[in-house]
Amino acid sequence: MNQYRFDVRAWATVSQQHNIKEILLSLLQSTIKMDDAIKTKGEAELADMLQKSLKRKRYLIVLDDIWSCEVWDGMRRCFPTEDSAGSRILLTTRNNEVARNAGIENLSMQMNFMDQDESWNHFKSAAFSNEVLSSEFETIGKKIAQKCHGLPLTIVVVAGLLKSKGAIEDWESVAKDVTSFITNDPDEQCSHVLGLSYNHLTSDLKTCLLHFGIFLEDSEIPAKNLMRSWMAEGFLKLGNDLEGEAEKCLQELVDRCL
């Protein structure tokens, strides 16, 4: 998709603690000339301004990191539906329910894990800014990237922390135990990002997710064994169909990329 095909290109990060007014102001910055008076207007006025500014224009709007269907339901009314041929709205989300609710199942894209080459290129870019590497650092770096299991977040966190470590011994230490290195990170960047998803769960889903800790790291977890364990521990709401409730909880965690 060529970005220059669009008259207007705008990006807004929604996030978990969303503020509709701030989202509207962020989008309006790319469509009209802003002044202090606009910032004092209410949501309804801003939504009307946005819709009018996009009329009869071909636009590309990115709404990044939407957490709930309610946010999209509230935002979709702000975009004109007439005379908008060729316009595109791109949503990113951690929750499959949001994508399904947008009514775009045939146009949705599920992100896959990175393969070995993609992991290394991503790691190299973040850790070295694509500088020329010695063969020694490249060998160790590839081992570290491989142990990140194709997870972009892990790759970026590890690479960012290693950026300040110039000794090959430090890199070799990390290569032995990437997981421990992330856990001991004083800034807990990875834990913070995953913590957002965790805090957004209901109390029963939090309990079910934490229960994964009884299984060995990187081991296969039989779904039936996991669900039976939840049932036996009394984590689920009491009802006639405990197994159905367990399947629902598991699917919820899958849909939230957890």
Side-chain angles (χ1 to χ4, degrees):
M1 188 187 294
N2 188 334
Q3 61 176 329
Y4 298 107
R5 288 180 61 246
F6 300 98
D7 305 312
V8 176
R9 301 185 301 276
W11 181 299
T13 301
V14 180
S15 76
Q16 186 176 1
Q17 302 299 327
H18 65 278
N19 182 316
I20 296 294
K21 182 174 179 177
E22 291 301 320
I23 297 169
L24 291 169
L25 286 171
S26 179
L27 295 175
L28 279 166
Q29 283 179 346
S30 302
T31 65
I32 62 172
K33 189 175 180 180
M34 298 286 286
D35 58 38
D36 290 338
I38 292 175
K39 295 178 183 178
T40 64
K41 295 183 183 296
E43 283 181 21
E45 280 186 281
L46 293 174
D48 186 57
M49 290 176 68
L50 178 62
Q51 189 170 93
K52 287 176 179 175
S53 70
L54 295 175
K55 269 188 176 177
R56 290 182 291 280
K57 291 179 183 173
R58 181 181 288 172
Y59 54 83
L60 171 62
I61 305 289
V62 179
L63 297 174
D64 185 34
D65 202 17
I66 295 182
W67 283 72
S68 70
C69 299
E70 290 74 24
V71 176
W72 169 236
D73 289 339
M75 288 298 304
R76 72 199 312 167
R77 304 186 190 98
C78 303
F79 305 112
T81 54
E82 299 174 2
D83 303 320
S84 60
S87 294
R88 296 288 184 271
I89 300 174
L90 176 64
L91 313 179
T92 71
T93 181
R94 305 184 189 198
N95 192 340
N96 280 338
E97 186 185 356
V98 174
R100 288 194 295 266
N101 184 66
I104 51 170
E105 285 189 40
N106 294 332
L107 296 174
S108 64
M109 182 177 72
Q110 189 81 33
M111 297 301 292
N112 297 318
F113 293 107
M114 288 184 164
D115 62 27
Q116 203 163 333
D117 289 338
E118 289 171 327
S119 295
W120 166 237
N121 288 331
H122 198 41
F123 179 87
K124 183 169 61 172
S125 173
F128 299 101
S129 302
N130 290 321
E131 298 168 14
V132 177
L133 310 178
S134 68
S135 58
E136 197 174 20
F137 270 102
E138 182 164 339
T139 301
I140 298 295
K142 283 184 175 178
K143 283 183 183 176
I144 295 171
Q146 186 177 7
K147 289 190 175 184
C148 289
H149 303 301
L151 290 163
L153 174 63
T154 307
I155 293 168
V156 170
V157 170
V158 173
L161 293 169
L162 280 174
K163 210 170 186 177
S164 60
K165 297 181 183 290
I168 195 70
E169 294 81 13
D170 290 333
W171 284 59
E172 287 172 341
S173 175
V174 172
K176 289 177 184 174
D177 191 355
V178 170
T179 305
S180 173
F181 180 72
I182 296 172
T183 304
N184 293 330
D185 164 32
D187 295 326
E188 295 183 332
Q189 299 174 53
C190 193
S191 297
H192 172 69
V193 175
L194 293 176
L196 290 176
S197 292
Y198 174 78
N199 292 332
H200 200 251
L201 297 175
T202 57
S203 57
D204 53 338
L205 282 176
K206 284 179 182 177
T207 306
C208 290
L209 178 63
L210 292 174
H211 196 64
F212 277 88
I214 68 170
F215 296 92
L216 292 175
E217 183 183 350
D218 294 331
S219 64
E220 286 191 12
I221 302 175
K224 282 194 173 180
N225 290 2
L226 175 68
M227 291 189 293
R228 284 170 182 163
S229 185
W230 288 346
M231 293 158 66
E233 294 287 348
F235 294 158
L236 307 171
K237 296 170 185 171
L238 293 176
N240 295 328
D241 185 14
L242 270 183
E243 192 167 336
E245 185 66 28
E247 288 178 0
K248 182 181 171 185
C249 286
L250 182 57
Q251 189 59 50
E252 279 252 17
L253 295 175
V254 171
D255 282 349
R256 293 167 185 270
C257 303
L258 288 169

